[in-house]
Amino acid sequence: MFAVLKTGGKQYKVQSGDILRVEKIAADAGEKVQFNEILMVGSTVGTPIVAGAAVQAEVIDQIKGEKVIHFVKRRRKHSSQRTKGHRQQLTLLKVTEILEKGADKTGVKTAVGAGSVDAGKPAAKAVAPKPAKGGDDLKKLSGVGPALEKKLHEAGVTTFAQIAAWTPEQVAAMDQKLSFKGRIEREGWIEQAKELAKG
């Protein structure tokens, strides 16, 4: 028996025992995950999904896809060219079971990745945590606007003292977490934060 499941904005036709590469799912190697957005099972076609159907799989590993080179060059614009590389984060799965009815969720993690939502529950609205009382105005830092300040608050950074105390490892982790790509060192946030924390 085969099933057609949807995850990460894509559809996959699977059978028990298939090895599958899908958009990254928040699960560790060895964990069992369950897909609830099933569009078709055998000859049963969903409207849009098949009620009660599920596909269970075991996570083999978190991997990266092939490197894709993106090159942009504008004609008649001297020195206007840009090369970017990208490797998509993927999850390697082994399909263990296709459940046509009575999908059991006990002990199995619901697979939620890019574009996937648990079919049984409405998508919860993301609520940004409010900055702690007495938090500093991080927009005083060079290059920080309202959007970037919100990201810093979500990461738990609300004061200049926190930024001033960052170690090189914490700077690298924050660069990676918030896709800053060297902005912290380039803009001199730590030095600015030290001055602002004093004043």
Side-chain angles (χ1 to χ4, degrees), residues 19-35:
I19 303 293
L20 201 59
R21 293 196 323 168
V22 299
E23 297 271 337
K24 186 175 181 180
I25 292 170
D28 297 323
E31 277 192 292
K32 286 192 174 181
V33 293
Q34 180 168 296
F35 297 93

Side-chain angles (χ1 to χ4, degrees), residues 10 34 56 79 88 96-97 108 112 118 147 162-163 196:
K10 300 180 180 70
Q34 180 168 296
Q56 292 185 353
S79 302
Q88 183 66 40
T96 54
E97 196 173 357
V108 182
V112 178
D118 185 350
Q162 286 175 286
I163 296 170
L196 290 163

Side-chain angles (χ1 to χ4, degrees), residues 21-167:
R21 293 196 323 168
V22 299
E23 297 271 337
K24 186 175 181 180
I25 292 170
D28 297 323
E31 277 192 292
K32 286 192 174 181
V33 293
Q34 180 168 296
F35 297 93
N36 296 317
E37 288 186 276
I38 310 301
L39 308 177
M40 185 174 179
V41 178
S43 59
T44 307
V45 179
T47 55
I49 62 171
V50 180
V55 171
Q56 292 185 353
E58 184 180 345
V59 177
I60 298 172
D61 198 7
Q62 298 288 356
I63 59 172
K64 285 188 176 182
E66 301 272 327
K67 187 164 188 176
V68 178
I69 303 294
H70 179 73
F71 180 73
V72 176
K73 182 172 182 177
R74 294 181 181 86
R75 292 176 59 202
R76 303 186 187 92
K77 300 279 184 183
H78 298 288
S79 302
S80 179
Q81 58 187 37
R82 182 178 68 226
T83 304
K84 291 169 74 176
H86 175 73
R87 291 186 70 190
Q88 183 66 40
Q89 292 191 324
L90 303 169
T91 300
L92 194 63
L93 301 167
K94 182 177 182 181
V95 178
T96 54
E97 196 173 357
I98 295 172
L99 304 170
E100 195 167 358
K101 289 180 183 177
D104 181 21
K105 293 188 179 183
T106 56
V108 182
K109 189 174 185 178
T110 301
V112 178
S116 295
V117 178
D118 185 350
K121 300 175 186 174
K125 289 185 179 179
V127 179
K130 293 182 180 177
K133 287 185 179 179
D136 296 321
D137 182 8
L138 301 181
K139 294 191 291 293
K140 290 181 180 177
L141 293 171
S142 174
V144 177
L148 205 47
E149 184 183 42
K150 184 181 174 185
K151 284 186 177 181
L152 286 166
H153 285 168
E154 287 172 356
V157 180
T158 57
T159 64
F160 295 129
Q162 286 175 286
I163 296 170
W166 278 351
T167 63

Side-chain angles (χ1 to χ4, degrees), residues 163-176 184-185 190:
I163 296 170
W166 278 351
T167 63
E169 291 78 19
Q170 289 173 316
V171 169
M174 196 60 70
D175 266 339
Q176 182 77 20
I184 297 170
E185 292 178 357
I190 294 174

